[in-house]
Amino acid sequence: MLLVSERYSIYIGLALAVSSSLFIGYSFILKKKGLLQLSKKGSTRAGQGGHAYLKEWIWWAGLISMAAGEAANFAAYTFAPATLVTPLGALSVLISAVLSSYCLNEHLNIHGKLGCMLSILGSTIMVIHAPHEEEVKTLHEMGIKLKDTGFIVFAVSVITISLLLIFIAAPRKGQTNVLVFISICSLIGAFSVSSVKGLGLVIKDLLENKPVYKDPLAYILLLILIISVSIQINYLNKALDTFNTSIVTPLYYVFFTTVVVTCSVILFKEWNNMKVDDIIGSLSGFCTVIIGIFLLHAFKDLNLTWDQLLNLTKKSSYQSAKNGSDDQNTLLEDIENQ
């Protein structure tokens, strides 16, 4: 019965993660449309420190959609390991890229479509090889994990780099380098996901009538979640307002997933009981996702269609045949001259 229960928990977690990607992918489009309407009115843009987007109902619709997605994501982390849930965020990249081509008139070429397919394929591989059992099952166990030296070093490093990006890099390079805002969101995301995971354990313990409300760690995790999510929303808005959605979404996925998986491996030790082939499979799947994201991003301005690709192939075959025929005629002429 325990094995059946754990199996159903995995399926529930996967279903919630997929629905989360749907909501989050659509939220990028709504928030971008709200920011575009704001720029047409001549208000101070979010990328320049303005907050007039708070008056746009479309932006709020996007925020509500993202909140619904994050709520589903919250529940997914309760039922399944983080390294199983997080890779499915690639679906939000696909959804956002496809909807951008229809709703925002942002072109999605053949490379972008292939990139989306590779992202889904890589995520599927990661899900197959991800750990299917929880390493931390109670808030007390998480409290012990948080005191681990490896996680403390990781947390201090993340906080230090985030502060340097916020106070030094963002004012200087934020408007010209998309990686600045994306890096801030991704690094802070390590704390938001860890907090969500911990609060999920709080809910589980409450359902089992355990007095976790007396544990200060529950309130610390809630405070960390509020602060980290607020920072993420702020800098994600700046990134969306300053740069193209088809750039922001895939890069955010790659950086965010990398940081979250790294944090999960260090904090929850989710890879400790995995076989070598599963670890290699997870890394291979993630590399596949990165390649897909690269295709989606690097060639976004290249206007190449399937018809053009077929024509290039036909021309190449014709040219090769023509060159072969010319070479054969030249050879015959040389023989006759001899």
Side-chain angles (χ1 to χ4, degrees), residues 266-280:
I266 295 174
L267 176 59
F268 299 114
K269 308 292 191 298
E270 292 180 345
W271 283 14
N272 281 11
N273 296 326
M274 288 177 62
K275 298 179 181 179
V276 176
D277 56 344
D278 286 328
I279 295 177
I280 295 174

Side-chain angles (χ1 to χ4, degrees), residues 196-273:
V196 165
K197 188 71 174 178
L199 292 173
L201 296 173
V202 171
I203 294 174
K204 274 188 174 181
D205 289 344
L206 285 175
L207 294 176
E208 296 176 1
N209 295 321
K210 295 181 180 179
V212 290
Y213 56 86
K214 297 180 180 180
D215 193 336
L217 180 59
Y219 302 98
I220 293 174
L221 291 174
L222 180 60
L223 179 62
I224 292 174
L225 178 62
I226 294 173
I227 295 174
S228 59
V229 169
S230 299
I231 295 174
Q232 283 181 274
I233 291 176
N234 181 40
Y235 283 96
L236 185 58
N237 278 328
K238 291 184 177 183
L240 287 171
D241 185 50
T242 308
F243 304 97
N244 194 298
T245 308
S246 61
I247 299 176
V248 173
T249 307
L251 286 178
Y252 180 55
Y253 168 78
V254 172
F255 278 71
F256 178 78
T257 304
T258 302
V259 174
V260 170
V261 170
T262 303
C263 180
S264 298
V265 171
I266 295 174
L267 176 59
F268 299 114
K269 308 292 191 298
E270 292 180 345
W271 283 14
N272 281 11
N273 296 326

Side-chain angles (χ1 to χ4, degrees), residues 154-171 180-191 228 231-232 235 259:
F154 172 80
V156 171
S157 301
V158 168
I159 292 173
T160 303
I161 295 172
S162 298
L163 292 175
L164 290 174
L165 289 172
I166 291 173
F167 294 107
I168 297 178
V180 175
F181 293 148
I182 294 299
S183 297
I184 295 172
C185 294
S186 301
L187 290 169
I188 298 299
F191 297 111
S228 59
I231 295 174
Q232 283 181 274
Y235 283 96
V259 174

Side-chain angles (χ1 to χ4, degrees), residues 32-42 56-58:
K32 182 67 175 183
K33 288 182 71 71
L35 293 172
L36 288 174
Q37 287 189 6
L38 181 65
S39 64
K40 292 179 181 179
K41 295 179 181 179
E56 291 290 333
W57 69 269
I58 294 181

Side-chain angles (χ1 to χ4, degrees), residues 270-295:
E270 292 180 345
W271 283 14
N272 281 11
N273 296 326
M274 288 177 62
K275 298 179 181 179
V276 176
D277 56 344
D278 286 328
I279 295 177
I280 295 174
S282 296
L283 293 175
S284 300
F286 186 58
C287 289
T288 303
V289 173
I290 292 178
I291 293 172
I293 297 301
F294 175 77
L295 286 175

